[in-house]
């Protein structure tokens, strides 16, 4: 299937992935997991919502936990360049027949919310309350010392169409996995705005669902340390995959599940992609090194389980990708 071309003058300027809003069933338990085990910092909290951020972040929050009856992903948040970009985004959405709304969100400036054509619930903002970063507050470090939110990965029922839509918004393809043969279909794509491997990864599967969100850690040893912490705290069963090294993105990774099953990746060691002539890297869907450079395939849960978006029906994918699955 066709690989989208880079668009350097998109209709509005998305800077980077910013924050994720999750619905959780036990707010106290989820807070303890992300604050004490993973090591995020609570910025504000009450009995209905908790706002957390990582050590390097100046913004008020990169993870929002909301108390709810059922677990779900409520929103994926992206930061835009300035307030005018919100108006440009509204014009683009209107011209393309997509509904949107400007809403008031705590600790954020003017915020634009919309649902894309594939059911992913997005919000855009230009400004958020600022906080002093905690990078040098080593006395506050816990867990794996997460530094910043890095990316989102979603299950999309219509991978090619979803990739093309976000390419129109200026997301640039860095790597992709494709079936072999003359009519091979793209089964997964990694797209960025901030000059690393990805802000937004789009994976074939039942969708729309959130596959995972990821925080950057300083070193691979921080990720290994988190395994020890989770084992000591009784969270061994919550370690789903890794630690290991992806062929795709070159990242050292660990995937864990929170108390509601939302999937979190801890991530480090990808690479720079900011040059205007950076060419996407193709991977064969059957190459075992793409999943894990060392050759170990992912477990079945990694391909089948994800967090639905609030109020969105989950659709079967247009095709079933022939991927390598661990026994």
């Amino acid at each position: 299937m066709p690989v989208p071309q880079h668009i350097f003058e998109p209709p509005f300027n998305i800077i980077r992935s910013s924050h994720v809003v999750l619905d959780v069933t036990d707010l106290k338990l989820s807070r303890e997991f992300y604050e004490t085990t993973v090591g995020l910092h609570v910025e504000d909290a009450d009995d209905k919502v908790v706002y957390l951020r990582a050590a390097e972040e100046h913004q008020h929050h990169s993870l929002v936990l909301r108390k709810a009856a059922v677990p779900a992903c409520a929103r994926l948040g992206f930061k835009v360049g300035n307030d005018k970009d919100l108006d440009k985004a509204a014009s683009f959405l209107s011209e393309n027949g997509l509904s949107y709304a400007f809403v008031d969100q705590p600790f954020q400036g003017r915020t634009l919310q919309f649902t894309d054509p594939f059911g992913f619930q997005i919000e855009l903002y230009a400004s958020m309350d600022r906080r002093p970063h905690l990078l040098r507050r080593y006395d506050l470090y816990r867990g794996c010392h997460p530094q910043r939110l890095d990316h989102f990965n979603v299950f999309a029922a219509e991978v090619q169409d979803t990739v093309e839509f976000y390419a129109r918004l200026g997301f640039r393809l860095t790597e992709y996995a494709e079936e072999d043969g003359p009519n091979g279909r793209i089964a997964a794509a990694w797209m960025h705005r901030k000059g690393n491997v990805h802000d937004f990864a789009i994976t074939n599967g039942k969708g729309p669902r959130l596959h995972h969100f990821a925080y950057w850690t300083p070193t691979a040893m921080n990720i290994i340390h988190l395994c020890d912490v989770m084992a000591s705290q009784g969270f061994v069963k919550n370690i789903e995959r890794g630690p290991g090294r992806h062929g795709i993105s070159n990242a050292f990774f660990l995937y864990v599940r929170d108390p509601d099953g939302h999937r979190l990746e801890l991530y480090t060691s990808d690479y720079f992609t900011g040059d205007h002539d950076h060419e996407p890297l193709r991977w064969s869907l059957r190459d075992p090194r793409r999943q894990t450079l060392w050759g170990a395939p992912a477990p079945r849960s990694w391909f089948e389980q994800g967090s639905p978006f609030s109020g969105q029906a989950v659709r079967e994918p247009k095709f079933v990708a022939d991927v390598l699955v661990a026994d």
Side-chain angles (χ1 to χ4, degrees):
M1 282 189 174
V3 172
Q5 298 300 305
H6 296 333
I7 295 177
F8 294 100
E9 296 183 1
F12 55 94
N13 184 25
I14 293 175
I15 300 296
R16 59 174 174 83
S17 53
S18 166
H19 61 279
V20 59
V21 183
L22 298 181
D23 289 343
V24 300
T25 57
D26 188 325
L27 190 60
K28 181 175 183 293
L29 187 61
S30 292
R31 171 179 174 162
E32 289 176 352
F33 178 80
Y34 284 105
E35 180 181 22
T36 304
T37 303
V38 176
L40 295 174
H41 303 271
V42 172
E43 197 63 34
D44 279 284
D46 57 29
D47 60 353
K48 294 182 180 179
V49 62
V50 179
Y51 297 88
L52 304 100
R53 65 180 173 126
E56 189 183 317
E57 294 171 333
H58 285 281
Q59 66 191 50
H60 179 271
H61 55 268
S62 55
L63 173 61
V64 182
L65 304 174
R66 308 190 313 184
K67 183 174 176 57
V70 295
C73 179
R75 293 281 167 185
L76 300 179
F78 293 93
K79 182 180 176 68
V80 300
N82 55 50
D83 215 49
K84 292 180 180 178
D85 283 307
L86 296 175
D87 297 317
K88 292 177 181 178
S91 295
F92 172 85
L93 295 168
S94 179
E95 291 166 3
N96 286 272
L98 298 173
S99 60
Y100 64 89
F102 284 101
V103 300
D104 293 325
Q105 290 289 77
F107 311 108
Q108 293 174 203
R110 197 164 60 127
T111 299
L112 173 64
Q113 293 185 342
F114 68 96
T115 300
D116 76 10
F118 316 100
F120 299 109
Q121 294 172 179
I122 307 296
E123 69 178 29
L124 307 175
Y125 76 98
S127 63
M128 185 185 289
D129 286 4
R130 304 278 288 177
R131 294 292 187 270
H133 72 52
L134 303 172
L135 180 63
R136 297 173 185 86
R137 287 296 309 272
Y138 294 107
D139 55 315
L140 301 179
Y141 278 29
R142 301 190 204 179
C144 62
H145 307 172
Q147 300 293 293
R148 60 186 179 272
L149 187 134
D150 188 83
H151 64 263
F152 312 124
N153 185 307
V154 297
F155 281 122
E158 305 89 7
V159 171
Q160 185 74 34
D161 293 340
T162 308
V163 170
E164 291 175 357
F165 177 82
Y166 282 93
R168 292 175 64 196
L169 303 187
F171 283 81
R172 293 163 59 185
L173 186 70
T174 58
E175 303 195 20
Y176 63 102
E178 186 179 44
E179 297 173 319
D180 294 326
N183 299 312
R185 295 165 292 190
I186 293 176
W190 286 256
M191 309 182 80
H192 81 92
R193 286 296 298 160
K194 64 180 180 292
N196 69 340
V197 174
H198 57 317
D199 287 278
F200 197 42
I202 300 163
T203 305
N204 182 69
K206 295 179 181 179
R209 292 181 298 161
L210 175 66
H211 186 278
H212 69 265
F213 62 105
Y215 278 91
W216 176 275
T217 69
T219 71
M221 286 305 301
N222 296 94
I223 291 173
I224 293 170
H225 176 62
L226 182 60
C227 294
D228 289 333
V229 171
M230 293 184 68
S232 300
Q233 293 183 342
F235 285 117
V236 170
K237 292 183 179 179
N238 294 67
I239 300 174
E240 180 184 33
R241 182 183 176 201
R245 169 89 58 192
H246 286 310
I248 285 179
S249 81
N250 192 57
F252 194 89
F253 69 86
L254 176 72
Y255 293 93
V256 303
R257 309 295 286 272
D258 78 2
D260 279 294
H262 297 303
R263 183 181 288 107
L264 167 67
E265 181 185 16
L266 292 313
Y267 177 97
T268 193
S269 301
D270 63 349
Y271 58 90
F272 174 73
T273 63
D275 285 348
H276 71 283
D277 55 354
H278 180 86
E279 294 187 6
L281 175 63
R282 179 193 181 275
W283 291 84
S284 166
L285 199 58
R286 300 298 295 173
D287 187 343
R289 299 173 303 162
R290 74 175 191 89
Q291 289 187 21
T292 308
L293 190 64
W294 309 334
R300 186 166 298 280
S301 62
W302 198 82
F303 296 103
E304 296 182 351
Q305 297 175 11
S307 302
F309 281 78
S310 306
Q312 295 293 321
V314 175
R315 302 183 300 280
E316 293 291 331
K318 279 190 171 181
F319 70 97
V320 177
D322 184 17
V323 295
L324 299 173
V325 181
D327 293 332

